[in-house]
Amino acid sequence: MFENILSLYGLDPKTTSIQSFGDGLINHTWMVIAGDKRYILQKVNSEVFKKPSDIDENLSLLKKYLSSTHPEYLFVSPVNTADGASLISNESGYFRLFPFIEGSMSLNTLTRIDEAYEAARQFGMFSKILADFDAEQLNITIPNFHNLILRYDQFTEACNQAGAERLEKAADCINFVSDHQNIVNTYRQILNNTAIPLRVIHHDTKISNVLFDAYNKGVCVIDLDTVMPGYFISDVGDMMRTYLSEAGEEETDFSKIRIRKDFFKAIYDGYMSEMKEVLTSVESEYFTYSGKFIIYMQAIRFLADFLQNDTYYGAKYEDHNLNRAKNQIALLKEYIKLEQELKMDSLF
Ligand code: ADP
Ligand code: GN1
Ligand code: MG
């Protein structure tokens, strides 16, 4: 399979090595080493991204815009084949090749506050430099991706269709989700509030989607498939979901899930160092809500997937998605406990 792909890029399959890379749940990623050049090869998951060409068009639109407005910005876009294609397809699916950003590395867990600040600054910078770009020009690569109302409806549907055994195992989680529908109501207010604009939003701000240099400074953001029009709460919220607790979403000892308050402040300071002048005062009022919004939505998504027999995220062991949902609920409980204190931290 790889031979044909490599040839399209003028790479000699005999002298090129390919290894699986990264820990994403959706796409397949490989590191490609061809002499002294390194690349990242990716197969787009076309079950999730129904029209991979939509992603490709978005990347090329943003590349064009940024190369004229912010030529100094490192926007990681695909390499072209000898025929000038930035996305290729064959009987195995859709593929693209990125240049490996030399001297960079990504993190899977976050231990340092300055790295949380840097990551948040990078995501803030991304939305800031695109603040004057008309977000509605972008294709919607996953419809309703962060639409909490729809996610809640999908969860209800999953409950209605689930088998008895999974329903019983998930009963406590289902009750928790249903008892916290006020989080969906607040999202409804946001949708109806014209002071909260659609912006160019990354929608997957986990720490492994930021590249760092050897001095722990952020270099750029990557994994741009879900860049679409959205609300800032998506990006800030996913940082809170994935940076605040040292124990990540795969942890099954839920007692290890704790909120690091100083990391909240670092996310706030890093994001606001770029977005302070861009966010409206009404948006800023929802800064703390964004954590609840995304953690709750991720709990719902894992739980719905468990109830639907793990068709979206897959499962490496029995009850994997149920445990992921329990993990996110534990995180949300910790977050809600500290919410008022965190709110104070986002005022100064
Ligand atoms: P996934 O959808 O699997 O999360 P990513 O695009 O995030 O895919 O890539 C997975 C990992 O590969 C990243 O976390 C990062 O470590 C590395 N990576 C991806 N693109 C590049 C790049 N252009 N340069 C350097 N490393 C990269
Ligand atoms: C998926 O592809 P990856 O692993 O970066 C998912 C995110 C979830 C995340 C949970 C397209 O992201 O929305 O937050 O898993 N991406 C998609 O780990 O569904
Ligand atoms: Mg990624």
Side-chain angles (χ1 to χ4, degrees), residues 67-80:
S67 65
S68 70
T69 56
H70 293 84
E72 73 296 346
Y73 182 76
L74 179 54
F75 183 73
V76 184
S77 59
V79 176
N80 283 355

Side-chain angles (χ1 to χ4, degrees), residues 297-310:
M297 180 156 56
Q298 193 63 56
I300 288 184
R301 292 178 65 195
F302 284 142
L303 192 55
D305 199 35
F306 172 73
L307 295 169
Q308 287 166 322
N309 305 320
D310 315 306

Side-chain angles (χ1 to χ4, degrees), residues 21-29 40 42 76 98-101 104-106 108 208-209 211 222-223 225:
F21 199 70
D23 64 349
L25 301 184
I26 304 295
N27 293 328
H28 270 105
T29 304
I40 290 287
Q42 262 179 347
V76 184
F98 295 95
F100 186 91
I101 306 301
S104 77
M105 52 164 189
S106 68
N108 282 326
S208 56
N209 290 334
L211 296 182
I222 54 167
D223 208 347
D225 302 335

